PDB file of all heavy atoms in Angstrom:
ATOM      1  N   SER A 400      23.168  19.068  35.802  1.00 98.00           N
ATOM      2  CA  SER A 400      24.610  18.797  35.795  1.00 98.00           C
ATOM      3  C   SER A 400      24.933  17.746  34.743  1.00 98.00           C
ATOM      4  O   SER A 400      24.058  16.977  34.314  1.00 98.00           O
ATOM      5  CB  SER A 400      25.057  18.270  37.174  1.00 98.00           C
ATOM      6  OG  SER A 400      24.568  16.942  37.338  1.00 98.00           O
ATOM      7  N   GLU A 401      26.192  17.745  34.358  1.00 98.00           N
ATOM      8  CA  GLU A 401      26.672  16.785  33.365  1.00 98.00           C
ATOM      9  C   GLU A 401      26.407  15.344  33.828  1.00 98.00           C
ATOM     10  O   GLU A 401      25.922  14.513  33.063  1.00 98.00           O
ATOM     11  CB  GLU A 401      28.172  17.024  33.184  1.00 98.00           C
ATOM     12  CG  GLU A 401      28.807  16.272  32.054  1.00 98.00           C
ATOM     13  CD  GLU A 401      30.280  16.656  31.941  1.00 98.00           C
ATOM     14  OE1 GLU A 401      30.608  17.852  31.812  1.00 98.00           O
ATOM     15  OE2 GLU A 401      31.125  15.723  31.981  1.00 98.00           O
ATOM     16  N   ASP A 402      26.692  15.091  35.098  1.00 98.00           N
ATOM     17  CA  ASP A 402      26.493  13.738  35.635  1.00 98.00           C
ATOM     18  C   ASP A 402      25.029  13.315  35.534  1.00 98.00           C
ATOM     19  O   ASP A 402      24.717  12.185  35.160  1.00 98.00           O
ATOM     20  CB  ASP A 402      26.904  13.673  37.115  1.00 98.00           C
ATOM     21  CG  ASP A 402      28.401  13.497  37.257  1.00 98.00           C
ATOM     22  OD1 ASP A 402      29.059  13.215  36.228  1.00 98.00           O
ATOM     23  OD2 ASP A 402      28.907  13.650  38.382  1.00 98.00           O
ATOM     24  N   GLU A 403      24.151  14.246  35.864  1.00 98.00           N
ATOM     25  CA  GLU A 403      22.724  13.921  35.820  1.00 98.00           C
ATOM     26  C   GLU A 403      22.296  13.615  34.383  1.00 98.00           C
ATOM     27  O   GLU A 403      21.552  12.661  34.126  1.00 98.00           O
ATOM     28  CB  GLU A 403      21.910  15.106  36.372  1.00 98.00           C
ATOM     29  CG  GLU A 403      20.442  14.799  36.535  1.00 98.00           C
ATOM     30  CD  GLU A 403      19.565  16.048  36.712  1.00 98.00           C
ATOM     31  OE1 GLU A 403      20.084  17.178  36.602  1.00 98.00           O
ATOM     32  OE2 GLU A 403      18.356  15.875  36.957  1.00 98.00           O
ATOM     33  N   ALA A 404      22.785  14.416  33.441  1.00 98.00           N
ATOM     34  CA  ALA A 404      22.419  14.207  32.028  1.00 98.00           C
ATOM     35  C   ALA A 404      22.899  12.839  31.549  1.00 98.00           C
ATOM     36  O   ALA A 404      22.155  12.085  30.912  1.00 98.00           O
ATOM     37  CB  ALA A 404      23.018  15.311  31.163  1.00 98.00           C
ATOM     38  N   VAL A 405      24.136  12.501  31.880  1.00 98.00           N
ATOM     39  CA  VAL A 405      24.689  11.223  31.434  1.00 98.00           C
ATOM     40  C   VAL A 405      23.924  10.068  32.086  1.00 98.00           C
ATOM     41  O   VAL A 405      23.594   9.071  31.434  1.00 98.00           O
ATOM     42  CB  VAL A 405      26.204  11.124  31.776  1.00 98.00           C
ATOM     43  CG1 VAL A 405      26.736   9.721  31.525  1.00 98.00           C
ATOM     44  CG2 VAL A 405      26.986  12.147  30.965  1.00 98.00           C
ATOM     45  N   HIS A 406      23.614  10.240  33.360  1.00 98.00           N
ATOM     46  CA  HIS A 406      22.898   9.181  34.064  1.00 98.00           C
ATOM     47  C   HIS A 406      21.534   8.926  33.410  1.00 98.00           C
ATOM     48  O   HIS A 406      21.161   7.781  33.141  1.00 98.00           O
ATOM     49  CB  HIS A 406      22.723   9.541  35.541  1.00 98.00           C
ATOM     50  CG  HIS A 406      21.873   8.557  36.281  1.00 98.00           C
ATOM     51  ND1 HIS A 406      22.353   7.326  36.678  1.00 98.00           N
ATOM     52  CD2 HIS A 406      20.568   8.592  36.626  1.00 98.00           C
ATOM     53  CE1 HIS A 406      21.367   6.649  37.259  1.00 98.00           C
ATOM     54  NE2 HIS A 406      20.272   7.394  37.241  1.00 98.00           N
ATOM     55  N   MET A 407      20.793  10.009  33.127  1.00 98.00           N
ATOM     56  CA  MET A 407      19.458   9.827  32.521  1.00 98.00           C
ATOM     57  C   MET A 407      19.592   9.249  31.107  1.00 98.00           C
ATOM     58  O   MET A 407      18.831   8.360  30.719  1.00 98.00           O
ATOM     59  CB  MET A 407      18.710  11.167  32.488  1.00 98.00           C
ATOM     60  CG  MET A 407      18.285  11.633  33.870  1.00 98.00           C
ATOM     61  SD  MET A 407      17.079  12.987  33.837  1.00 98.00           S
ATOM     62  CE  MET A 407      18.088  14.370  33.306  1.00 98.00           C
ATOM     63  N   ALA A 408      20.566   9.735  30.343  1.00 98.00           N
ATOM     64  CA  ALA A 408      20.738   9.240  28.962  1.00 98.00           C
ATOM     65  C   ALA A 408      21.032   7.739  28.960  1.00 98.00           C
ATOM     66  O   ALA A 408      20.531   6.995  28.115  1.00 98.00           O
ATOM     67  CB  ALA A 408      21.864  10.005  28.268  1.00 98.00           C
ATOM     68  N   ASN A 409      21.834   7.299  29.944  1.00 98.00           N
ATOM     69  CA  ASN A 409      22.236   5.879  29.965  1.00 98.00           C
ATOM     70  C   ASN A 409      21.228   4.975  30.674  1.00 98.00           C
ATOM     71  O   ASN A 409      21.398   3.758  30.688  1.00 98.00           O
ATOM     72  CB  ASN A 409      23.600   5.732  30.660  1.00 98.00           C
ATOM     73  CG  ASN A 409      24.747   6.131  29.739  1.00 98.00           C
ATOM     74  OD1 ASN A 409      24.593   6.140  28.517  1.00 98.00           O
ATOM     75  ND2 ASN A 409      25.889   6.453  30.325  1.00 98.00           N
ATOM     76  N   ASP A 410      20.186   5.563  31.237  1.00 98.00           N
ATOM     77  CA  ASP A 410      19.225   4.770  32.000  1.00 98.00           C
ATOM     78  C   ASP A 410      18.193   4.137  31.057  1.00 98.00           C
ATOM     79  O   ASP A 410      17.023   4.519  31.026  1.00 98.00           O
ATOM     80  CB  ASP A 410      18.545   5.667  33.040  1.00 98.00           C
ATOM     81  CG  ASP A 410      17.647   4.862  33.967  1.00 98.00           C
ATOM     82  OD1 ASP A 410      17.758   3.608  33.976  1.00 98.00           O
ATOM     83  OD2 ASP A 410      16.813   5.484  34.661  1.00 98.00           O
ATOM     84  N   THR A 411      18.634   3.178  30.259  1.00 98.00           N
ATOM     85  CA  THR A 411      17.792   2.544  29.250  1.00 98.00           C
ATOM     86  C   THR A 411      18.343   1.154  28.945  1.00 98.00           C
ATOM     87  O   THR A 411      19.539   0.919  29.116  1.00 98.00           O
ATOM     88  CB  THR A 411      17.782   3.380  27.942  1.00 98.00           C
ATOM     89  OG1 THR A 411      17.183   2.634  26.898  1.00 98.00           O
ATOM     90  CG2 THR A 411      19.177   3.781  27.500  1.00 98.00           C
ATOM     91  N   LYS A 412      17.463   0.280  28.494  1.00 98.00           N
ATOM     92  CA  LYS A 412      17.936  -1.063  28.117  1.00 98.00           C
ATOM     93  C   LYS A 412      18.503  -1.054  26.696  1.00 98.00           C
ATOM     94  O   LYS A 412      19.132  -1.999  26.264  1.00 98.00           O
ATOM     95  CB  LYS A 412      16.778  -2.060  28.207  1.00 98.00           C
ATOM     96  CG  LYS A 412      16.339  -2.365  29.637  1.00 98.00           C
ATOM     97  CD  LYS A 412      15.423  -3.586  29.656  1.00 98.00           C
ATOM     98  CE  LYS A 412      15.282  -4.239  31.010  1.00 98.00           C
ATOM     99  NZ  LYS A 412      15.211  -3.357  32.177  1.00 98.00           N
ATOM    100  N   TYR A 413      18.202   0.006  25.953  1.00 98.00           N
ATOM    101  CA  TYR A 413      18.747   0.143  24.601  1.00 98.00           C
ATOM    102  C   TYR A 413      20.117   0.806  24.662  1.00 98.00           C
ATOM    103  O   TYR A 413      20.523   1.290  25.720  1.00 98.00           O
ATOM    104  CB  TYR A 413      17.824   1.011  23.752  1.00 98.00           C
ATOM    105  CG  TYR A 413      16.499   0.368  23.400  1.00 98.00           C
ATOM    106  CD1 TYR A 413      15.332   0.731  24.054  1.00 98.00           C
ATOM    107  CD2 TYR A 413      16.419  -0.589  22.387  1.00 98.00           C
ATOM    108  CE1 TYR A 413      14.112   0.160  23.708  1.00 98.00           C
ATOM    109  CE2 TYR A 413      15.207  -1.166  22.036  1.00 98.00           C
ATOM    110  CZ  TYR A 413      14.047  -0.786  22.703  1.00 98.00           C
ATOM    111  OH  TYR A 413      12.850  -1.345  22.354  1.00 98.00           O
ATOM    112  N   GLY A 414      20.783   0.908  23.531  1.00 98.00           N
ATOM    113  CA  GLY A 414      22.075   1.595  23.494  1.00 98.00           C
ATOM    114  C   GLY A 414      22.593   1.695  22.074  1.00 98.00           C
ATOM    115  O   GLY A 414      23.680   1.220  21.752  1.00 98.00           O
ATOM    116  N   LEU A 415      21.800   2.334  21.207  1.00 98.00           N
ATOM    117  CA  LEU A 415      22.245   2.414  19.815  1.00 98.00           C
ATOM    118  C   LEU A 415      23.095   3.663  19.586  1.00 98.00           C
ATOM    119  O   LEU A 415      24.295   3.564  19.325  1.00 98.00           O
ATOM    120  CB  LEU A 415      21.033   2.379  18.874  1.00 98.00           C
ATOM    121  CG  LEU A 415      21.380   2.297  17.381  1.00 98.00           C
ATOM    122  CD1 LEU A 415      22.210   1.059  17.073  1.00 98.00           C
ATOM    123  CD2 LEU A 415      20.115   2.303  16.535  1.00 98.00           C
ATOM    124  N   ALA A 416      22.448   4.836  19.658  1.00 98.00           N
ATOM    125  CA  ALA A 416      23.169   6.058  19.287  1.00 98.00           C
ATOM    126  C   ALA A 416      22.835   7.179  20.253  1.00 98.00           C
ATOM    127  O   ALA A 416      21.806   7.159  20.925  1.00 98.00           O
ATOM    128  CB  ALA A 416      22.787   6.477  17.878  1.00 98.00           C
ATOM    129  N   GLY A 417      23.723   8.187  20.305  1.00 98.00           N
ATOM    130  CA  GLY A 417      23.450   9.362  21.106  1.00 98.00           C
ATOM    131  C   GLY A 417      24.083  10.568  20.439  1.00 98.00           C
ATOM    132  O   GLY A 417      24.941  10.412  19.557  1.00 98.00           O
ATOM    133  N   SER A 418      23.662  11.752  20.862  1.00 98.00           N
ATOM    134  CA  SER A 418      24.341  12.948  20.355  1.00 98.00           C
ATOM    135  C   SER A 418      24.523  13.950  21.479  1.00 98.00           C
ATOM    136  O   SER A 418      23.698  14.049  22.388  1.00 98.00           O
ATOM    137  CB  SER A 418      23.590  13.561  19.172  1.00 98.00           C
ATOM    138  OG  SER A 418      22.288  13.937  19.549  1.00 98.00           O
ATOM    139  N   ILE A 419      25.666  14.675  21.407  1.00 98.00           N
ATOM    140  CA  ILE A 419      26.048  15.647  22.435  1.00 98.00           C
ATOM    141  C   ILE A 419      26.206  16.990  21.723  1.00 98.00           C
ATOM    142  O   ILE A 419      26.842  17.041  20.659  1.00 98.00           O
ATOM    143  CB  ILE A 419      27.439  15.295  23.043  1.00 98.00           C
ATOM    144  CG1 ILE A 419      27.563  13.804  23.365  1.00 98.00           C
ATOM    145  CG2 ILE A 419      27.745  16.177  24.241  1.00 98.00           C
ATOM    146  CD1 ILE A 419      26.630  13.307  24.402  1.00 98.00           C
ATOM    147  N   TRP A 420      25.639  18.025  22.294  1.00 99.00           N
ATOM    148  CA  TRP A 420      25.673  19.337  21.644  1.00 99.00           C
ATOM    149  C   TRP A 420      26.300  20.336  22.596  1.00 99.00           C
ATOM    150  O   TRP A 420      25.726  20.683  23.625  1.00 99.00           O
ATOM    151  CB  TRP A 420      24.254  19.738  21.229  1.00 99.00           C
ATOM    152  CG  TRP A 420      23.636  18.687  20.331  1.00 99.00           C
ATOM    153  CD1 TRP A 420      23.068  17.511  20.723  1.00 99.00           C
ATOM    154  CD2 TRP A 420      23.585  18.699  18.895  1.00 99.00           C
ATOM    155  NE1 TRP A 420      22.660  16.789  19.608  1.00 99.00           N
ATOM    156  CE2 TRP A 420      22.952  17.502  18.473  1.00 99.00           C
ATOM    157  CE3 TRP A 420      23.987  19.609  17.906  1.00 99.00           C
ATOM    158  CZ2 TRP A 420      22.731  17.194  17.131  1.00 99.00           C
ATOM    159  CZ3 TRP A 420      23.763  19.305  16.563  1.00 99.00           C
ATOM    160  CH2 TRP A 420      23.147  18.111  16.187  1.00 99.00           C
ATOM    161  N   THR A 421      27.509  20.787  22.281  1.00 98.00           N
ATOM    162  CA  THR A 421      28.261  21.706  23.142  1.00 98.00           C
ATOM    163  C   THR A 421      29.373  22.342  22.320  1.00 98.00           C
ATOM    164  O   THR A 421      29.843  21.728  21.352  1.00 98.00           O
ATOM    165  CB  THR A 421      28.886  20.951  24.340  1.00 98.00           C
ATOM    166  OG1 THR A 421      29.699  21.845  25.095  1.00 98.00           O
ATOM    167  CG2 THR A 421      29.760  19.777  23.914  1.00 98.00           C
ATOM    168  N   THR A 422      29.810  23.549  22.707  1.00 98.00           N
ATOM    169  CA  THR A 422      30.991  24.114  22.043  1.00 98.00           C
ATOM    170  C   THR A 422      32.242  23.874  22.889  1.00 98.00           C
ATOM    171  O   THR A 422      33.334  24.290  22.504  1.00 98.00           O
ATOM    172  CB  THR A 422      30.826  25.635  21.816  1.00 98.00           C
ATOM    173  OG1 THR A 422      30.440  26.231  23.053  1.00 98.00           O
ATOM    174  CG2 THR A 422      29.785  25.924  20.745  1.00 98.00           C
ATOM    175  N   ASN A 423      32.081  23.211  24.027  1.00 98.00           N
ATOM    176  CA  ASN A 423      33.230  22.902  24.886  1.00 98.00           C
ATOM    177  C   ASN A 423      33.835  21.578  24.406  1.00 98.00           C
ATOM    178  O   ASN A 423      33.256  20.504  24.607  1.00 98.00           O
ATOM    179  CB  ASN A 423      32.735  22.806  26.342  1.00 98.00           C
ATOM    180  CG  ASN A 423      33.839  22.456  27.309  1.00 98.00           C
ATOM    181  OD1 ASN A 423      34.797  21.772  26.949  1.00 98.00           O
ATOM    182  ND2 ASN A 423      33.703  22.912  28.539  1.00 98.00           N
ATOM    183  N   LEU A 424      34.986  21.694  23.774  1.00 97.00           N
ATOM    184  CA  LEU A 424      35.608  20.536  23.129  1.00 97.00           C
ATOM    185  C   LEU A 424      35.856  19.381  24.104  1.00 97.00           C
ATOM    186  O   LEU A 424      35.521  18.229  23.836  1.00 97.00           O
ATOM    187  CB  LEU A 424      36.936  20.979  22.503  1.00 97.00           C
ATOM    188  CG  LEU A 424      37.700  19.962  21.698  1.00 97.00           C
ATOM    189  CD1 LEU A 424      36.928  19.568  20.456  1.00 97.00           C
ATOM    190  CD2 LEU A 424      39.067  20.534  21.302  1.00 97.00           C
ATOM    191  N   LYS A 425      36.418  19.740  25.269  1.00 98.00           N
ATOM    192  CA  LYS A 425      36.734  18.692  26.252  1.00 98.00           C
ATOM    193  C   LYS A 425      35.460  17.999  26.718  1.00 98.00           C
ATOM    194  O   LYS A 425      35.404  16.784  26.848  1.00 98.00           O
ATOM    195  CB  LYS A 425      37.409  19.309  27.478  1.00 98.00           C
ATOM    196  CG  LYS A 425      38.888  19.465  27.356  1.00 98.00           C
ATOM    197  CD  LYS A 425      39.414  19.779  28.737  1.00 98.00           C
ATOM    198  CE  LYS A 425      40.902  20.028  28.702  1.00 98.00           C
ATOM    199  NZ  LYS A 425      41.405  20.339  30.032  1.00 98.00           N
ATOM    200  N   ARG A 426      34.437  18.807  26.984  1.00 98.00           N
ATOM    201  CA  ARG A 426      33.187  18.217  27.469  1.00 98.00           C
ATOM    202  C   ARG A 426      32.567  17.312  26.401  1.00 98.00           C
ATOM    203  O   ARG A 426      32.044  16.250  26.700  1.00 98.00           O
ATOM    204  CB  ARG A 426      32.202  19.307  27.870  1.00 98.00           C
ATOM    205  CG  ARG A 426      30.839  18.737  28.154  1.00 98.00           C
ATOM    206  CD  ARG A 426      30.110  19.444  29.231  1.00 98.00           C
ATOM    207  NE  ARG A 426      29.814  20.798  28.836  1.00 98.00           N
ATOM    208  CZ  ARG A 426      29.417  21.737  29.679  1.00 98.00           C
ATOM    209  NH1 ARG A 426      29.271  21.457  30.954  1.00 98.00           N
ATOM    210  NH2 ARG A 426      29.162  22.947  29.268  1.00 98.00           N
ATOM    211  N   GLY A 427      32.646  17.765  25.147  1.00 98.00           N
ATOM    212  CA  GLY A 427      32.105  16.957  24.044  1.00 98.00           C
ATOM    213  C   GLY A 427      32.714  15.563  24.045  1.00 98.00           C
ATOM    214  O   GLY A 427      32.008  14.547  24.029  1.00 98.00           O
ATOM    215  N   HIS A 428      34.037  15.502  24.096  1.00 98.00           N
ATOM    216  CA  HIS A 428      34.719  14.193  24.116  1.00 98.00           C
ATOM    217  C   HIS A 428      34.378  13.411  25.376  1.00 98.00           C
ATOM    218  O   HIS A 428      34.109  12.212  25.335  1.00 98.00           O
ATOM    219  CB  HIS A 428      36.240  14.383  24.076  1.00 98.00           C
ATOM    220  CG  HIS A 428      36.768  14.758  22.729  1.00 98.00           C
ATOM    221  ND1 HIS A 428      36.874  13.851  21.705  1.00 98.00           N
ATOM    222  CD2 HIS A 428      37.221  15.933  22.230  1.00 98.00           C
ATOM    223  CE1 HIS A 428      37.379  14.459  20.650  1.00 98.00           C
ATOM    224  NE2 HIS A 428      37.587  15.721  20.927  1.00 98.00           N
ATOM    225  N   ARG A 429      34.442  14.124  26.510  1.00 98.00           N
ATOM    226  CA  ARG A 429      34.270  13.450  27.803  1.00 98.00           C
ATOM    227  C   ARG A 429      32.878  12.807  27.906  1.00 98.00           C
ATOM    228  O   ARG A 429      32.752  11.624  28.228  1.00 98.00           O
ATOM    229  CB  ARG A 429      34.452  14.496  28.909  1.00 98.00           C
ATOM    230  CG  ARG A 429      34.409  13.949  30.319  1.00 98.00           C
ATOM    231  CD  ARG A 429      34.823  15.040  31.310  1.00 98.00           C
ATOM    232  NE  ARG A 429      33.878  16.144  31.325  1.00 98.00           N
ATOM    233  CZ  ARG A 429      34.224  17.427  31.214  1.00 98.00           C
ATOM    234  NH1 ARG A 429      35.483  17.790  31.084  1.00 98.00           N
ATOM    235  NH2 ARG A 429      33.298  18.382  31.230  1.00 98.00           N
ATOM    236  N   VAL A 430      31.864  13.572  27.570  1.00 98.00           N
ATOM    237  CA  VAL A 430      30.498  13.048  27.688  1.00 98.00           C
ATOM    238  C   VAL A 430      30.278  11.955  26.634  1.00 98.00           C
ATOM    239  O   VAL A 430      29.678  10.915  26.918  1.00 98.00           O
ATOM    240  CB  VAL A 430      29.461  14.178  27.574  1.00 98.00           C
ATOM    241  CG1 VAL A 430      28.049  13.621  27.602  1.00 98.00           C
ATOM    242  CG2 VAL A 430      29.657  15.171  28.710  1.00 98.00           C
TER     243      VAL A 430
END
Side-chain angles (χ1 to χ4, degrees):
S400 72
E401 189 177 305
D402 278 349
E403 188 196 6
V405 171
H406 174 77
M407 289 194 288
N409 282 339
D410 186 14
T411 169
K412 289 193 162 39
Y413 290 103
L415 187 59
S418 60
I419 315 296
W420 304 80
T421 175
T422 51
N423 179 330
L424 184 65
K425 274 193 183 180
R426 171 146 65 194
H428 284 285
R429 184 171 65 230
V430 176

